[in-house]
Amino acid sequence: MTTATPDTRRPVDPTVQHQIEQFLYREAELLDDQRFQDWLELFSDDVHYWLPTRVTRTVRERSLEVAGPEGAAFFDDDKTFLRGRVRRLSSGQSWSEEPPSRTRRLITNIRPVELADGTFEVRANFHVLRSRAERHHDTFFGERTDLLRRIPREPGFQVARRKIVLDTTTLLAPSISIFL
Amino acid sequence: MTTATPDTRRPVDPTVQHQIEQFLYREAELLDDQRFQDWLELFSDDVHYWLPTRVTRTVRERSLEVAGPEGAAFFDDDKTFLRGRVRRLSSGQSWSEEPPSRTRRLITNIRPVELADGTFEVRANFHVLRSRAERHHDTFFGERTDLLRRIPREPGFQVARRKIVLDTTTLLAPSISIFL
Amino acid sequence: MTTATPDTRRPVDPTVQHQIEQFLYREAELLDDQRFQDWLELFSDDVHYWLPTRVTRTVRERSLEVAGPEGAAFFDDDKTFLRGRVRRLSSGQSWSEEPPSRTRRLITNIRPVELADGTFEVRANFHVLRSRAERHHDTFFGERTDLLRRIPREPGFQVARRKIVLDTTTLLAPSISIFL
Amino acid sequence: MLDVSELVQPENGLIHPSIYTDPEIYQAELEQVFARSWLFLAHDSQLPKPGSFVQAYMAEDPVLVVRQRDGSVKAFLNQCRHRGMRICRSDEGVARAFTCTYHGWAYNLAGELVNVPMQERAYHNEIDKSNWGPRRVPRVHNHKGFYFGTWDEDAPSFEEYLGDMVWKLDAMADRYDEGISLVPGATKWVIDCNWKFAAEQFASDMYHVPSSHTSALVALVEDPQILAELHELNLTVPGRQFSGNGHGAGFALRPDILPSQSGPEFDAWLDAHREEIYRRGGEQRALAANGHNTVFPNFSWLDINNTMRVWHPRGPGQIEVWAWTFVPQGAPEEVRNEIRTSTIRSFSPAGVFETDDGENWTEIQQVLRGHMARKSLFNAQMGLGHEKQGTDGMPGRVTDDMYTEMAARGMYQRWADLMSGLSWQQIAELDRNRQQQEVHTA
Amino acid sequence: MLDVSELVQPENGLIHPSIYTDPEIYQAELEQVFARSWLFLAHDSQLPKPGSFVQAYMAEDPVLVVRQRDGSVKAFLNQCRHRGMRICRSDEGVARAFTCTYHGWAYNLAGELVNVPMQERAYHNEIDKSNWGPRRVPRVHNHKGFYFGTWDEDAPSFEEYLGDMVWKLDAMADRYDEGISLVPGATKWVIDCNWKFAAEQFASDMYHVPSSHTSALVALVEDPQILAELHELNLTVPGRQFSGNGHGAGFALRPDILPSQSGPEFDAWLDAHREEIYRRGGEQRALAANGHNTVFPNFSWLDINNTMRVWHPRGPGQIEVWAWTFVPQGAPEEVRNEIRTSTIRSFSPAGVFETDDGENWTEIQQVLRGHMARKSLFNAQMGLGHEKQGTDGMPGRVTDDMYTEMAARGMYQRWADLMSGLSWQQIAELDRNRQQQEVHTA
Amino acid sequence: MLDVSELVQPENGLIHPSIYTDPEIYQAELEQVFARSWLFLAHDSQLPKPGSFVQAYMAEDPVLVVRQRDGSVKAFLNQCRHRGMRICRSDEGVARAFTCTYHGWAYNLAGELVNVPMQERAYHNEIDKSNWGPRRVPRVHNHKGFYFGTWDEDAPSFEEYLGDMVWKLDAMADRYDEGISLVPGATKWVIDCNWKFAAEQFASDMYHVPSSHTSALVALVEDPQILAELHELNLTVPGRQFSGNGHGAGFALRPDILPSQSGPEFDAWLDAHREEIYRRGGEQRALAANGHNTVFPNFSWLDINNTMRVWHPRGPGQIEVWAWTFVPQGAPEEVRNEIRTSTIRSFSPAGVFETDDGENWTEIQQVLRGHMARKSLFNAQMGLGHEKQGTDGMPGRVTDDMYTEMAARGMYQRWADLMSGLSWQQIAELDRNRQQQEVHTA
Ligand code: FES
Ligand code: FES
Ligand code: FES
Ligand SMILES: [Fe+3]
Ligand SMILES: [Fe+3]
Ligand SMILES: [Fe+3]
């Protein structure tokens, strides 16, 4: 789940921790408020937004549990396609989100490390609750590993890479018409 | 969801963040421990405790999704009635809480801002899990927007306003016999 | 739920809070990553790992709700038996975890206090989500009360005592084949 | 047709619990009870302008209730006739037309199919659009701003269906010159119990109040002295119960329409409108508007708590409650707001009365998982043999106390008649005979 | 009556999987199996003083088991006869009386209706309270501190029902002069599988241990050398299996009652009480108390693991397990605590043995969603044709090995007899003939 | 046998919605439709070496599909015959043998029972292992790397079952000299709808695209001008629809195999392989590979979106979708990757097309909880009476437009024939007559 080697990884102090947490809370807030255009701003133009699939395998074969870059995925987007998704969500004709879902993102266990190049690798747990229409409920949970870059303007960071891993194999939902 | 205008809103430093977080955790602890009298102390005498209803509408009409002050609500209490609820919960005859429910409050994504008048507007996500009797389970999730005032004594803050918004329309529970 | 008397309990500053949070996140990460041997390292040799049962009783009899030390429990382990459990989980024949479950631990509302002897009593809320096989899902939620000791080496703390209380009576799961 | 004569014996006040749990009985209820009765759809105040619509339910069937350009209200099944897609997926709003998102068939406000994409290319202009509109609710009746509908062409008129219950309905619906309106927004929640527990309680059960709602008074009243008095009052105040056509109502005999139970603002306003209220339906009717009411099968309200609701069935073991608060149309904002908050605090999912009602119903339903539990007859014999008619000259079967289960027995009688597949005429016939017998035996 | 003769063929060791999935069969089980059999209710140690009560279940029916003032124990359905409310909603406690929260009907410790609010005003004093108490469990039997109950007036006495199984039950229940007691608190959890998988395994299945529980030994033992020996021992140690009246038990032939599998404290204590234990039931019985046991239909225990449980059915695809740890009443705290922890660690939802049992049962049930899967007969032929009686002079059908499915076949035979609606006499008759035949063919 | 003649009337284009909700009909479908038809199991590329296995499903029955040492592929029910345990609990992997974890029975790659623990001690060597292997899938057919299986010994050969649909299947499966392979990993998700909604749409429904998928184009295309043109193109481009043996397919008449809808890399590669592609099946077939396809009952794919899936039924109201992306085996990494990402973005649970399809199906199913909703016939009359055969000389029933519901009617006809319990011969007979009539009436 992590690429950098230990020696190049430094823990962060409470101040940086606070900044990163607020940044991730801010991001979640924009999605829960459905301010998709503003949300898009938080991602670098070279971002890779990825959610690979997962299978059930024996302990011995656990390394093969999560699909690799050449495998099946739920998301495998670049900035351009993220823009397209946002355009669609704002079209008023995206039927699986029109009327819109109600979502709530619990972002917890935020574990940042600073890498040699001054970027931050942040692992965090998430539990996203979604309700839509009259009584439909979905729940998505797992771990995100983000690569954050400092930027000289508000809100101070940018997501340069996001890998999402769900703790499920068969998705017990009709769709992921939201962002995670 | 927020009233103050941007310019009057200042982010808080890690120390204040820590104080506010511990205050909200403390509040949740008192409820999960069913120490209702102590919980009541945390609210100002002029508190407005409000949980409006919500409907499913198109993206275009989203502003009408959450009911306004004149609309239907689950809670719309002042301090006096909160006291009455606590009296009732302590009566031993509040059948929907006798035997009592078991609750757990996950308070996450805490986002405080300091307002011009030195009060704090705090948005936070919550996921409240409730189990009661033998196997009954309910789950409540959404966002709270609190107005916190500093007080010169422990625990340092008071809730002067709370607006709770659930991310559901039809409540999939037989009752909200607890506080959120 | 807590043993020390008020006067001997001191709140912690943001730095210690940060250290303790990262320690608990680290612990959760090791479990979610199924690095059980490394996880074991985080517990003192005299650790008591305990999850008592719970019953539904009237408000008046609430003190009897959670079973005492002589009562029924889900876990009541010492370090030696924790080692045995880890041995088993690594055996490749622990069928209820072979293939392994997928777990995600949300550790929230972390409330540490420093005790007179320099140890820390930490109450935290947890919501553990588990999925296994094709579509099986379980959810465990409640409160943990840990006793943490400082140690002179990484990661800086050790769990000397853990009491877990689930907010359920009848467990709505076929097993707790994981750690909480 | 199911034989339910063994299951409910109104004449003996006995109920077999399987009527609350059996899936077959439930499916039969959808067909024999809900598809034949008059069901509440919406209130005028929910449909302010042409194109205003709300999605309502008739039992488990979603229907769109729409204000027409001519001011009338029409209702139709919210199901596209092409492949069954839900035509409109908003709870409410204002529309010019309704377009199905699946393939784009479009319907006007009256629910007529007005556009079919590629009608020429795909359908060779052979589709008769007039045949393929969604199923219309054939009969919609406006009773003083309350819209009721039924699928049954053979059902009696709404007035006939309502019978003497009109007296109680109008005591609420027709109380003020300017009428009433609903606080914006329905409160909806789910209770895991059979719909009849809720409907029956609001029809017939004043008896549960002292036991179930003790703690509610504790929340409303601090002074233990006053608490004791109120409790005493509950046990001693005289009252009446009405039963007819399956409907039921109970109320205390109070000397005045005050206090309102909402607060000083409303009290003052009511006091000022006393004449008006008495004038509209008479003082007796005005004073009777202080209790519980159910219009068969699933429309209920509480007069002085200003709450009105439908108990939508959702399988034998679940209901979806849709509740509204009603206020005097003409009252000033402070009055309407005082009523609104007091209703929220007493009758809503967090209301200090409501939560304890739900607890009872869910536990009853839970216990009925048991095999022996489902074999034990329930006792609905309170006041059996003491039924009266026209007490104090009130219309219909009105008995001389509010602590009785006459209305419950009446509700299950109507339920059994419908479930047995009797025609509406046969039912009317039977009811006449039953009441005559009652008179004689009385 | 369902014809189940096609579904289970004990004589051929064949089982049709639909008996684990069919909802109709399940409802019939509630009526024919659970409502006619003796079911475990509670143990003396759970009811320390007058007014002590626990809520127990008889299949899906909740019953209150209450210690009376005279020291006896009574049980009744936890359902109010007025509208079916659960009378008491606590799992356990001490009560002076039970008051239904819905309308306030009150019951004494014996489950008699003693107070009806407003009996005069509402009921005109015409309600006969003696008729309206909750349904009593008509027969409750105290077997050495273990209370069993049945709804069936025609069922044989508990002793007769138990038959030769009493030998195994007493090997646990009657082992010490001071008897046994339960560790305070039941452990309750839910497994998505049919109840018969669990009951059958504890009646008849020593065979799964080497495969299912390998890793449990890994947890208990570090030394691989010892591990290998233990595994070898499992495969080679001789053993016996008992089957009678649907009950079943299996055990190894061990030279000693030690080691206890709990630890040194208990070992020492047992060693000191060897005489006592042998004296009470004989050495052979004492030594036999080391295996698995099920009293038909759903009460099971493991002797040396000191765990006892009821498999409450919750629909065809789910059980609720209620487990207790039993300890020698007279043993000191250290001994009882050692047993308690060792049982928690091995047989509880987190126990290193228990978790793997549940995994098997849930997967079996999952696969049975399949249409072909539900058509494939299961094989219960282990030891078919090799049944024996009275091996080593032990009472009843005791065969000469513990690796057999004789007891499983016996359990399904009893199940089929009951499901066929045979009277208890007919069943006893049939069993006699079957055993005689067996003797001859042997 | 259920009489479904009332429920589906293909000749009138009418469908009774209860076929999507009735639990009895669903159980009959498992037996009459899924247990008799050829179902997709796996593709060659999923089973790279001897011992490679995947768990697949045939409706609700889990089967292990295993590559044998001789390179062949065998399949058997993933259920142990002893007590029904799931033999292998991994989704995929490489195995030497399969050992049941419950009691240790072991099976070889072919699904033969090869080891029974304690065979001598426990079974007295009397168990005939050859009788107790898991149920084998008796017929597995390899069609150009696609493995299909059926439980039905009497079903026609796969070729005969496929009929003229082979032309469309091979347009995808047999498109390149080096064939195709699947991107590693299936994407699996759950939709609460009846399986027929999905199968039918992929067989017959080009008509929903303009309405349901407008916003998908918005995601793919920024320029509003181009958007408008694309939308216009959808409405005007000519097309064809095929229907036969319950299978269905629809496609546009495009002048070229380009653009691919995946991107420049694939376009370039296709352009370079144009000759090869045309050579293999002819230009007409190559150009036809641009639409939607369903092989009855539940195997579907979209040609230019490179997605292939099975709609596994999970009760009347739920499906589990298993989807794969297919790529040209011989294409370089960049091309395969471009296809992979474009498919993920369009057809997957987060795909901009896929999410809106699911929304339609779930809402339809929800509405069908209603009693009246379940009584309203659906309209499948598009193009009724305008069916054609052999349009443009294409094989079988190919009509002259893609906006028709001929294939839907064909699918429900096959469904009705199977549900009626007709033999495969009777069905073939009937189909012949129906088509002859069609020709005459045409
Ligand atoms: S389902 Fe409404 S247009 Fe097709
Ligand atoms: S239900 Fe118990 S008193 Fe009415
Ligand atoms: S169930 Fe497979 S070996 Fe027993
Ligand atoms: Fe009430
Ligand atoms: Fe076991
Ligand atoms: Fe589509």
Side-chain angles (χ1 to χ4, degrees), chain A:
Chain A
M1 207 132 303
T2 145
T3 54
T5 62
D7 48 279
T8 70
R9 310 163 63 76
R10 285 192 311 284
V12 305
D13 62 32
T15 307
V16 175
Q17 176 82 28
H18 180 239
Q19 293 167 345
I20 290 174
E21 287 179 350
Q22 290 299 311
F23 173 74
L24 292 179
Y25 296 162
R26 166 82 178 157
E27 185 221 334
E29 179 179 300
L30 291 173
L31 287 176
D32 291 336
D33 291 352
Q34 309 206 9
R35 296 169 53 188
F36 298 115
Q37 285 295 352
D38 298 341
W39 175 77
L40 212 47
E41 299 296 309
L42 304 183
F43 291 78
S44 69
D45 289 341
D46 64 345
V47 69
H48 182 214
Y49 184 93
W50 184 35
L51 200 177
T53 58
R54 196 167 178 176
V55 295
T56 298
R57 281 177 169 277
T58 59
V59 169
R60 188 167 41 74
E61 301 179 309
R62 262 207 105 211
S63 62
L64 302 168
E65 211 177 282
V66 177
E70 74 302 323
F74 291 96
F75 282 99
D76 197 336
D77 290 359
D78 52 20
K79 186 73 177 276
T80 309
F81 200 73
L82 286 178
R83 265 196 218 90
R85 291 185 185 272
V86 168
R87 242 188 349 261
R88 174 177 177 247
L89 285 168
S90 319
S91 71
Q93 296 176 304
S94 183
W95 307 129
S96 50
E97 284 298 319
E98 174 60 77
S101 296
R102 294 161 290 273
T103 61
R104 190 54 46 190
R105 286 162 174 77
L106 308 179
I107 308 299
T108 73
N109 300 48
I110 297 172
R111 292 151 282 153
V113 289
E114 184 167 8
L115 304 182
D117 62 2
T119 60
F120 299 89
E121 183 181 86
V122 184
R123 294 175 66 178
N125 295 351
F126 66 88
H127 187 201
V128 178
L129 300 121
R130 186 250 295 253
S131 105
R132 72 176 273 90
E134 294 184 335
R135 289 169 56 163
H136 185 84
H137 274 63
D138 294 312
T139 180
F140 306 93
F141 57 96
E143 182 183 57
R144 292 191 320 204
T145 304
D146 292 346
L147 184 71
L148 299 190
R149 283 198 204 112
R150 286 243 187 233
I151 56 169
R153 62 183 184 288
E154 277 305 302
F157 297 97
Q158 237 182 7
V159 182
R161 206 179 62 215
R162 169 162 293 176
K163 181 181 183 182
I164 307 159
V165 175
L166 288 168
D167 293 313
T168 49
T169 52
T170 303
L171 184 76
L172 300 187
S175 70
I176 312 180
S177 49
I178 60 173
F179 292 105
L180 293 175

Side-chain angles (χ1 to χ4, degrees), chain E residues 85-104:
Chain E
M85 178 61 178
R86 192 186 298 260
I87 296 168
C88 173
R89 293 173 294 132
S90 292
D91 291 336
E92 56 184 69
V94 182
R96 250 185 248 75
F98 301 98
T99 302
C100 178
T101 58
Y102 197 171
H103 306 88

Side-chain angles (χ1 to χ4, degrees), chain F residues 29 50 132 186 208 259 263 290 292 347 353 355 363 365 384 411 420:
Chain F
E29 284 180 325
W132 291 101
H208 79 287
N290 68 38
H292 56 77
F347 285 92
F353 286 82
T355 63
E363 285 294 327
Q365 197 73 33
L384 185 64
M411 172 181 139
S420 310

Side-chain angles (χ1 to χ4, degrees), chain D residues 201 208 213 357:
Chain D
Q201 181 180 291
H208 79 286
H213 298 305
D357 285 326

Side-chain angles (χ1 to χ4, degrees), chain B residues 106-132:
Chain B
L106 307 179
I107 308 298
T108 73
N109 301 48
I110 297 172
R111 291 152 284 152
V113 290
E114 183 167 6
L115 305 183
D117 62 0
T119 60
F120 298 91
E121 183 181 86
V122 185
R123 294 175 66 179
N125 296 351
F126 67 86
H127 187 199
V128 178
L129 300 122
R130 186 250 292 255
S131 104
R132 70 178 273 91

Side-chain angles (χ1 to χ4, degrees), chain F residues 56-57 92 97 160 187 200 216 240 286 305 329 340 360 366 379 395 416 427:
Chain F
Y57 272 91
E92 56 184 71
E160 196 184 322
T187 303
E200 185 215 305
R240 302 286 178 258
N305 303 106
Q329 173 82 282
R340 185 184 65 83
N360 291 326
Q366 269 302 310
N379 177 321
I427 292 173

